[in-house]
Amino acid sequence: MKHDWDLIERLLHEAQNSAGKPFAPRRYAEELAEEHENAGEHVDNLDHLRAEAARYEARLLHNGFIEPRPEEEGGNGENFILTARGAQLLSMLDSSIPGSEHPREVLDEAGEAALTPEVFDRLAPKANLSETG
């Protein structure tokens, strides 16, 4: 199973920037789908993408990539901040940085387990190494 790293990247960016507003994973999935469509990439099933976004939100929270945003940082009980693990994942996935494909490939090799703390923490140093080493 491969993760939708573009969607996870979007969720992490939105968590990072969610001060004072509710976190809305389904809306972020819709925005991502619209961007893909505008770039000429067909999105097969928007409902599935929305559901995936909600599942990823739960997994990212449960596995320590995001945590509730403190009130003094704009927290409202419905938004998040990145943990150190989440910030590391976001830096690995950042599509604006050349070479972001390699960390995604390393994470894909772990399959479903890539977003578990034990596996991610073991893979992250390897994924940050360039392909040529």
Side-chain angles (χ1 to χ4, degrees), residues 10-128:
R10 171 61 62 95
L11 294 175
L12 292 171
H13 272 295
E14 294 294 345
Q16 189 176 44
N17 300 316
S18 68
K21 62 182 182 179
F23 189 74
R26 291 176 182 273
R27 188 179 73 229
Y28 307 141
E30 292 168 6
E31 292 168 357
L32 182 63
E34 189 175 314
E35 289 172 17
H36 283 305
E37 292 282 345
N38 290 340
E41 301 168 27
H42 180 66
V43 176
D44 288 331
N45 187 335
L46 184 56
D47 288 334
H48 174 74
L49 192 63
R50 286 186 196 116
E52 273 297 281
R55 282 192 291 276
Y56 281 139
E57 174 190 14
R59 288 191 67 202
L60 292 169
L61 180 61
H62 178 75
N63 290 329
F65 292 93
I66 59 176
E67 63 188 17
R69 182 177 286 274
E71 211 172 296
E72 61 273 8
E73 293 180 31
N76 59 12
E78 298 179 355
N79 56 9
F80 304 100
I81 58 170
L82 299 181
T83 63
R85 182 179 288 130
Q88 185 174 22
L89 178 58
L90 179 56
S91 72
M92 291 166 63
L93 297 178
D94 195 337
S95 56
S96 67
I97 299 173
S100 65
E101 303 81 26
H102 178 67
R104 291 174 184 224
E105 291 166 4
V106 171
L107 291 169
D108 275 340
E109 289 171 11
E112 187 69 24
L115 291 178
T116 61
E118 306 78 23
V119 172
F120 177 80
D121 293 347
R122 183 174 41 82
L123 287 178
K126 297 177 188 173
N128 285 324

